[in-house]
Amino acid sequence: MIIKWFDEFEGKFYDISGDTGSGLKYDVDGWKSVDVGKKYVALLNQSSTSAPSAIILEDDFGDIYFEYDAVGQYFIKSTSSQFTEDKTWIMISNNYSDTSYIYTFIADWESTEKIVLKTIKDATTKLNDLLINTSIEIRTYK
């Protein structure tokens, strides 16, 4: 999609089209598209001792993959070290519907190449088979 913006002061149209993750910045030369980071959005599923699988909704990274580590613990990895320290934001939902227990999903930054994902029952017991169309969003900022 092409997006144009009209600067009334300058009397000019500017092309502000850009990929997801771009924004606008105004400087002495006018409005410019700038890269403000990357985003990954997916629905995760996991069963038995398999790595989580993803239904990718949006992917600006292009190299994210998943590994099984241990019961209730998985790795989200990037082959090109894109998870910047102190500039990576992760949000994961808990869609598991058993109301008999409290289930917690945790995603922690570990390195520029790895995020650790844990699925936990009653604060202490890690379990598999809890990721069922679980939404996750990962963003990195510059």
Side-chain angles (χ1 to χ4, degrees):
M1 172 173 33
I2 297 174
I3 302 171
K4 298 281 186 182
W5 178 77
F6 184 73
D7 184 334
E8 292 179 21
F9 181 74
E10 294 285 330
K12 296 180 188 176
F13 280 97
Y14 293 94
D15 180 1
I16 58 172
S17 304
D19 296 330
T20 302
S22 66
L24 293 175
K25 179 176 95 173
Y26 190 81
D27 64 17
V28 294
D29 296 322
W31 288 99
K32 295 183 177 180
S33 180
V34 294
D35 184 11
V36 293
K38 293 183 178 182
K39 181 173 22 172
Y40 178 86
V41 182
L43 301 175
L44 302 181
N45 291 283
Q46 189 280 329
S47 64
S48 187
T49 57
S50 298
S53 62
I55 300 169
I56 299 170
L57 306 175
E58 187 170 346
D59 184 2
D60 296 330
F61 291 90
D63 69 342
I64 288 180
Y65 65 98
F66 299 86
E67 289 182 354
Y68 181 89
D69 180 49
V71 173
Q73 184 162 306
Y74 321 96
F75 296 143
I76 304 169
K77 290 188 166 184
S78 165
T79 58
S80 56
S81 302
Q82 297 192 71
F83 303 137
T84 311
E85 186 174 6
D86 297 328
K87 294 189 178 192
T88 298
W89 177 84
I90 311 156
M91 184 170 67
I92 187 165
S93 70
N94 180 347
N95 292 344
Y96 198 72
S97 62
D98 179 359
T99 57
S100 305
Y101 303 98
I102 297 171
Y103 294 93
T104 306
F105 296 175
I106 300 169
D108 284 326
W109 180 93
E110 184 170 290
S111 72
T112 59
E113 296 174 345
K114 184 177 6 176
I115 294 168
V116 178
L117 173 60
K118 299 174 187 171
T119 54
I120 302 168
K121 173 182 139 186
D122 286 340
T124 58
T125 307
K126 292 182 188 175
L127 290 178
N128 290 333
D129 304 307
L130 299 181
L131 299 176
I132 302 170
N133 286 331
T134 302
S135 58
I136 188 166
E137 182 170 345
I138 303 168
R139 292 184 184 221
T140 58
Y141 295 89
K142 293 190 179 226

